[in-house]
Amino acid sequence: YTSIDCLVVIENVILNKQAIHSVAWHHEGKQFICSHSDGTLTIWNVKSPGKPAQTITPHGKQPKDGKKPEPCKPILKVEYKTTRAGDPFMILSGGLSYDTVGRRPCLTVMHGKSTAVLEMDYPIVDFLTLCETPYPNEEPMEDLEEDSMQESKNLEQ
């Protein structure tokens, strides 16, 4: 992708009119996700920068009449982690609905259709997700060692 492609996408993200709190890139550089001040996440494709590919309000109540969900508290940070097979993980802080008075700070982990909310005792300043390998398409070392041991056994037979 050229820098012009990225600039067009960034321009459209800015024109989205919601303050951006964080951005996380897909490992292949084809998509990125933004967290916004109204509690939404927008996923953008670099190849089609005109509008978001998807807009999600993780903790917004979905009205039955098809209208937009109610605004929520800002999502302060989002991370976008892909897996070898299946849906990516989205990990975010903040974004609860305004009617959750007295609720503790939380991290939300979304994977496919499942969502887990992890409540914390103290405010979340930042978070970091650690993966088994920094390269999304690489097998972990244990798997590689097991594969090579199996191949050795097959050669001996």
Side-chain angles (χ1 to χ4, degrees), residues 140-152:
M141 283 305 289
E142 297 91 27
D143 292 349
L144 291 174
E145 289 170 3
E146 286 176 19
D147 289 347
S148 63
M149 288 174 57
Q150 185 63 39
E151 286 176 22
S152 297

mmCIF file of all heavy atoms in Angstrom, residues 140-152:
data_model
loop_
_atom_site.group_PDB
_atom_site.id
_atom_site.type_symbol
_atom_site.label_atom_id
_atom_site.label_comp_id
_atom_site.label_asym_id
_atom_site.label_seq_id
_atom_site.Cartn_x
_atom_site.Cartn_y
_atom_site.Cartn_z
ATOM 1 N N PRO A 140 4.555 -21.917 17.325
ATOM 2 C CA PRO A 140 5.358 -21.808 18.542
ATOM 3 C C PRO A 140 6.502 -22.819 18.502
ATOM 4 O O PRO A 140 6.412 -23.848 17.849
ATOM 5 C CB PRO A 140 4.379 -22.142 19.664
ATOM 6 C CG PRO A 140 3.026 -22.123 19.052
ATOM 7 C CD PRO A 140 3.193 -22.250 17.574
ATOM 8 N N MET A 141 7.565 -22.542 19.241
ATOM 9 C CA MET A 141 8.762 -23.389 19.244
ATOM 10 C C MET A 141 8.446 -24.822 19.661
ATOM 11 O O MET A 141 8.976 -25.761 19.099
ATOM 12 C CB MET A 141 9.832 -22.807 20.175
ATOM 13 C CG MET A 141 10.559 -21.614 19.573
ATOM 14 S SD MET A 141 11.296 -21.937 17.960
ATOM 15 C CE MET A 141 12.633 -23.002 18.404
ATOM 16 N N GLU A 142 7.556 -25.010 20.658
ATOM 17 C CA GLU A 142 7.237 -26.368 21.105
ATOM 18 C C GLU A 142 6.669 -27.192 19.950
ATOM 19 O O GLU A 142 6.996 -28.352 19.779
ATOM 20 C CB GLU A 142 6.222 -26.362 22.261
ATOM 21 C CG GLU A 142 6.705 -25.683 23.518
ATOM 22 C CD GLU A 142 6.358 -24.206 23.535
ATOM 23 O OE1 GLU A 142 5.372 -23.781 22.908
ATOM 24 O OE2 GLU A 142 7.103 -23.450 24.182
ATOM 25 N N ASP A 143 5.772 -26.572 19.149
ATOM 26 C CA ASP A 143 5.168 -27.283 18.014
ATOM 27 C C ASP A 143 6.222 -27.663 16.987
ATOM 28 O O ASP A 143 6.200 -28.753 16.433
ATOM 29 C CB ASP A 143 4.083 -26.427 17.340
ATOM 30 C CG ASP A 143 2.859 -26.220 18.222
ATOM 31 O OD1 ASP A 143 2.760 -26.916 19.261
ATOM 32 O OD2 ASP A 143 2.029 -25.361 17.888
ATOM 33 N N LEU A 144 7.157 -26.742 16.733
ATOM 34 C CA LEU A 144 8.212 -27.019 15.764
ATOM 35 C C LEU A 144 9.111 -28.156 16.245
ATOM 36 O O LEU A 144 9.499 -29.023 15.477
ATOM 37 C CB LEU A 144 9.043 -25.768 15.506
ATOM 38 C CG LEU A 144 8.337 -24.644 14.753
ATOM 39 C CD1 LEU A 144 9.239 -23.411 14.694
ATOM 40 C CD2 LEU A 144 7.946 -25.082 13.359
ATOM 41 N N GLU A 145 9.435 -28.150 17.565
ATOM 42 C CA GLU A 145 10.277 -29.197 18.124
ATOM 43 C C GLU A 145 9.573 -30.552 18.044
ATOM 44 O O GLU A 145 10.186 -31.561 17.691
ATOM 45 C CB GLU A 145 10.642 -28.864 19.575
ATOM 46 C CG GLU A 145 11.623 -27.707 19.677
ATOM 47 C CD GLU A 145 11.801 -27.220 21.110
ATOM 48 O OE1 GLU A 145 11.214 -27.819 22.033
ATOM 49 O OE2 GLU A 145 12.516 -26.225 21.286
ATOM 50 N N GLU A 146 8.267 -30.574 18.369
ATOM 51 C CA GLU A 146 7.505 -31.826 18.292
ATOM 52 C C GLU A 146 7.458 -32.331 16.856
ATOM 53 O O GLU A 146 7.620 -33.530 16.611
ATOM 54 C CB GLU A 146 6.077 -31.610 18.815
ATOM 55 C CG GLU A 146 5.997 -31.475 20.316
ATOM 56 C CD GLU A 146 4.577 -31.160 20.787
ATOM 57 O OE1 GLU A 146 3.620 -31.408 20.022
ATOM 58 O OE2 GLU A 146 4.452 -30.666 21.910
ATOM 59 N N ASP A 147 7.242 -31.439 15.895
ATOM 60 C CA ASP A 147 7.196 -31.817 14.484
ATOM 61 C C ASP A 147 8.528 -32.414 14.037
ATOM 62 O O ASP A 147 8.560 -33.434 13.357
ATOM 63 C CB ASP A 147 6.845 -30.617 13.600
ATOM 64 C CG ASP A 147 5.394 -30.181 13.758
ATOM 65 O OD1 ASP A 147 4.604 -30.943 14.343
ATOM 66 O OD2 ASP A 147 5.072 -29.066 13.292
ATOM 67 N N SER A 148 9.646 -31.772 14.432
ATOM 68 C CA SER A 148 10.948 -32.274 13.997
ATOM 69 C C SER A 148 11.276 -33.606 14.667
ATOM 70 O O SER A 148 11.868 -34.489 14.047
ATOM 71 C CB SER A 148 12.059 -31.251 14.262
ATOM 72 O OG SER A 148 12.193 -31.015 15.632
ATOM 73 N N MET A 149 10.836 -33.796 15.942
ATOM 74 C CA MET A 149 11.059 -35.084 16.599
ATOM 75 C C MET A 149 10.250 -36.178 15.921
ATOM 76 O O MET A 149 10.733 -37.282 15.705
ATOM 77 C CB MET A 149 10.696 -34.991 18.081
ATOM 78 C CG MET A 149 11.701 -34.184 18.895
ATOM 79 S SD MET A 149 11.202 -33.924 20.618
ATOM 80 C CE MET A 149 10.972 -35.571 21.198
ATOM 81 N N GLN A 150 9.015 -35.878 15.523
ATOM 82 C CA GLN A 150 8.177 -36.848 14.841
ATOM 83 C C GLN A 150 8.782 -37.209 13.480
ATOM 84 O O GLN A 150 8.788 -38.371 13.091
ATOM 85 C CB GLN A 150 6.752 -36.285 14.667
ATOM 86 C CG GLN A 150 5.765 -37.268 14.064
ATOM 87 C CD GLN A 150 5.558 -38.490 14.946
ATOM 88 O OE1 GLN A 150 5.500 -38.379 16.183
ATOM 89 N NE2 GLN A 150 5.452 -39.650 14.346
ATOM 90 N N GLU A 151 9.293 -36.198 12.775
ATOM 91 C CA GLU A 151 9.924 -36.467 11.483
ATOM 92 C C GLU A 151 11.156 -37.354 11.643
ATOM 93 O O GLU A 151 11.398 -38.255 10.848
ATOM 94 C CB GLU A 151 10.311 -35.146 10.803
ATOM 95 C CG GLU A 151 9.118 -34.394 10.241
ATOM 96 C CD GLU A 151 9.509 -33.047 9.664
ATOM 97 O OE1 GLU A 151 10.699 -32.849 9.313
ATOM 98 O OE2 GLU A 151 8.616 -32.187 9.583
ATOM 99 N N SER A 152 11.927 -37.118 12.721
ATOM 100 C CA SER A 152 13.112 -37.948 12.985
ATOM 101 C C SER A 152 12.715 -39.399 13.233
ATOM 102 O O SER A 152 13.366 -40.330 12.746
ATOM 103 C CB SER A 152 13.883 -37.417 14.193
ATOM 104 O OG SER A 152 14.355 -36.136 13.942
#
